[in-house]
Amino acid sequence: MDLETGIQTGIHQNHVKKESWRTVLTLAYQSLGVVYGDLSTSPLYVYKSTFAEDIEHSETNEEIFGVLSFVFWTLTLVPLLKYVFIVLKADDNGEGGTFALYSLLCRHARVNSLPSSQVADEDLSMYKKDIISPAPSTFSARLKSTLEKHRVLQKFLLLLALIGACMVIGDGILSPAISVFSAVSGIELAMSKGHHEYIEVQVACIILIALFALQHYGTHRVGFLFAPVVVTWLLCISAIGVYNIFHWNPHVYQALSPYYMYKFLKKTQSGGWMSLGGILLCITGSEAMFADLGHFSQLSIKIAFTSIVYPSLIFAYMGQAAYLSQHHVVDNDYRIGFYVSVPEKLRWPVLVIAILAAVVGSQAIITGTFSIIKQCSALGCFPRVKIVHTSSKIHGQIYIPEINWTLMLLCLAVTIGFRDTKSMGNASGLAVITVMLVTTCLMSLVIVLCWHQSVVLAICFVLFFGTFEALYFSASVIKFLEGAWVPIALSFIFMLVMCVWHYGTLRQYEFDVQNTVSVDQLLSLGPSLGIVRVGGIGLIHTELVSGIPAIFSHFVTNIPAFHQVLVFLCVKSVSIPHVKHEERFLVGSIGPREYCIYRCIVRYGYRDAPMDDVQFENDLVCSIAEYIRTGRPGLDSADEDSAKQHEEMMVVGTPSTHQDRIQVCEDNDVANTETASTSELREIRSPPVIRPRKRVRFVIPKSPEIDRNVRDELRELMEAREAGVAYIMGHSYVRAKQGSSLIKKIVINLGYDFLRRNCRANTYVLNVPPASTLEVGMVYHI
C-alpha cells in the first residue's frame, strides 16, 4: 500500500467500527514519516541546548543524570500520557489540532465566531454527531449558558485558539531552522576551528532553500521516502544508544528515578530552572500527533508512538547520557552535541541520515503550518490566500505559495541571524510550550462541555499538566532577550493580522445585514428603471445567507439589466471539518415563480477542498432544477405570505451523490440532441435553433406527471444555462464612518484596507473563470 492509499484509508477510519490489523499496522508505519519526523530529531539538539550556558557538566554526573531524568519524565507525561491517552480522544469527527478543539466547543456551546452561521447548519449530520445536551442542573449546562450569554468570553475563547494557531505558525519557522542546523552541525567534527560555523550556516541555508522550493510538488510525491527515513533514523539512534549504555555506563538507568530531578534542581538552583528551556525541546513535534489525526487512526498513532518512537527516544537519550557520564572534558567548540556520542566510524553515515530525517521532520511542520492557515482562512480569521491541493487523494495535502516563501525568508533569517542552537532552541521551546498550554486550556473545557465529565476532573487535568507546562513556560520566557523574543514577535504580527482581518470582515458583514434590500424593493425597481432581462444565469456572490445585498441594488440602479435567471450564491464555511457532498447545497427561492430568482448556500467544512468551476456549475444548476421539481412551494404572486414562504430553503442532492436526480447533458450540435434516446428517461429540451451550438438537456428520472408551471420553469432554467453563466462579484472599498475613533480608523482605513488590497480576490478563491466575471465596486462606511 502506497502513502496516498494508506492515508486515504485513514481519513475515513473514524466512520468504520472495525479495522483489520493489517490496515492499522500499515497506517502506524506510515505515520512514522508524517507525524514523528520532528519529534524523532530532537536528540540532535536537546543536550547541546540544555548545557549551553546555564549549567556545567561536572564529574559528579548529577547534572547529566538530572537532565536525563527530566527528559524521561517529560516524554512520559506529555506525549505519552497527555496526548496519546487523553487528547487524541478529543477529535472533531476524526480531525485534530487547536482549531478542531475550538470547533468542537463552538458546536457544543454555540459560541461560533462565524457571522453567517444558520440554524440549518445544525441539521448537518456531522454537526450533530456525538452532541448530547447536558442535564440542566449540571455544571456543564451552567458553563454552556454562561459562554452563550457573554460575548467577552466567546471572544476570549477565539483569542485563545488564535494564539495557539500563531504559535504553530511560529513553530513552522523555527523548527525547520533548528532541525536542519543541528543535523549539519556534525560537520564541525571534520572542520578546522573557526571555519565550521560558516560552512554549517551555508549548508543549512542551501538545504532549507531546496526544501521550500520543492513544496509545490506536494508531500505525496516524495512521501514514499518519509517512513523509511524516519524508521532508519530511529533504529540508528536507538542502536547507538544501546551500544553507549552497555559500553560506557550500564547503570545509567538509575537516572530514570525522579529523585535525580530533585538532586538536579537542588544543586543547580536557578541555573537548572533556566536550563529547562533546553530540556523542553525533547517534546517538540508532540502536537503533531493530534494535529495530523485526520490522516491516520487513533490506534495507529498510539501503536507507532508506544512501540517504536517512545522506546527509541528513551534509548537515544540514555545512550548520550551514558557516554557523557564518562567524558567530562569536552572541547568547548563542540559543546555536548549529539555527534560526540556517535562512534567515529559511523559519524558520516549518521550525518547523512540525520539530515534526511531533519528534512522529513521539517516537511511535516511546514505542511502543518499550511493546514492551520487554511483553517484560519476558512473560519474568517486570516486573509484569503491561494490554496493549491497537491494531491487528489489526500485531502490535507495543500500548498500555499505566499506562505511558503514567507516561511522560507523568515527561516533563513533565523538561521543566519542566530547561527547557534542555543538561541534557536530558546525560540522554538517557547512556541512549542505555548501551543501545549493552549491545548491544555481548551481540553479542560472539552472535558466539561463535550464529554460532560465532572468539573473536578477538568480542574485536575489543568492543575497536573498545566503546572508542569507552566514550569517549562516560565523557563522559556525568562530567555526573552536570548532568542525567546522571536516567537513572541512573530505571533504578535500574525495575531495582529488575524484580529484586524476578523474585525474588518465582521463589521463588513454587519453593514451588509443592515443594508439588505427586501424582495418588494427589488421587484419595485423594475417598472421605475425599465429593467431588461438578458439571457443566461447571473450568479451574484454574497456573504449573506438571507436578504438581498445592497451591492446588487447598486448594480441594478446603475445598469438596469440582469439575467433571466438570478442566483444569489453564498459560499461559506461551517465549524465542522467536512460537509458531505449530498448536504452541501442549500437551495431556496426569492419572490414569485415568474421572476426566477433563487438563493443557493454552498457549505464547506474547514478542511474541505472547493470543487472546480465546471463541476460546481453543473451541480449548482442541477440542485436548483431538483428544487424546482420537488421542493418549491406552489405559490403565485397573489399569495400574501409568498415572500415569507419563498425564503424557506431545503437541502438538495446533486447528480454526484444521487443518480436518481436531475442531470445535465450537453450536446455539441442539434443533430445529437434530436436523436437522443428517451426510452428510459424523459427529457426537457430547449427549442431547436437554426445554427449548430452546444445544447443543454435536463434528464429527469421517471416520476408522476410534472406540473406545467414546473416544466416551464425548468425550461427557462435550461435555456439560461445554455446561454452561459456570469459571476457578479462585489468589490467593496471599506472605510471607517465619520465619527469613528482614531484606533478604528487606523484598523479599518490602513490595516484592513491594506490586507484586502493584497490578499486574493473572491474570484480566485472560488475558482471563478475570469472571462465570466463582472466586479461591482461599492464603498462601505462601517
Side-chain angles (χ1 to χ4, degrees), residues 53 105 141 144-145 182 301 324 343 351 366 430-431 443 448 456 477 538 540 571 615 680:
E53 285 183 4
L105 291 170
K144 174 184 175 182
S145 176
S182 299
I301 290 179
L324 294 172
L351 173 65
I366 294 167
L430 182 60
M443 268 301 303
V448 176
V456 176
V477 170
I540 299 93
V571 180
Q615 180 190 359
E680 295 183 2

Side-chain angles (χ1 to χ4, degrees), residues 20-30 300 303:
S20 67
W21 277 106
R22 182 178 179 181
T23 302
V24 172
L25 294 178
T26 301
L27 290 173
Y29 168 73
Q30 292 169 343
S300 64
I303 290 175

Side-chain angles (χ1 to χ4, degrees), residues 322-398:
Y323 176 87
L324 294 172
S325 67
Q326 303 300 321
H327 295 79
H328 303 99
V329 180
V330 182
D331 193 329
N332 288 332
D333 289 337
Y334 302 155
R335 300 282 176 170
I336 305 180
F338 167 77
Y339 291 101
V340 296
S341 64
V342 179
E344 277 191 52
K345 294 181 180 180
L346 298 178
R347 281 178 182 169
W348 283 106
V350 170
L351 173 65
V352 174
I353 298 173
I355 293 175
L356 292 175
V359 169
V360 170
S362 302
Q363 172 66 56
I365 290 295
I366 294 167
T367 303
T369 305
F370 291 158
S371 297
I372 198 72
I373 288 177
K374 179 182 181 295
Q375 293 179 27
C376 292
S377 181
L379 296 176
C381 297
F382 200 86
R384 293 182 295 269
V385 290
K386 177 183 178 181
I387 298 176
V388 179
H389 291 263
T390 58
S391 174
S392 59
K393 297 180 180 179
I394 308 175
H395 72 283
Q397 296 298 337
I398 61 176

Side-chain angles (χ1 to χ4, degrees), residues 117 169 200-201 326 572 701:
S117 57
I169 298 172
E200 289 172 11
V201 173
Q326 303 300 321
K572 70 170 189 174

Side-chain angles (χ1 to χ4, degrees), residues 650-667:
M650 61 178 290
V651 177
V652 180
T654 64
S656 305
T657 58
H658 296 81
Q659 296 297 324
D660 59 341
R661 302 292 173 89
I662 290 181
Q663 301 186 30
V664 170
C665 292
E666 296 182 355
D667 299 316

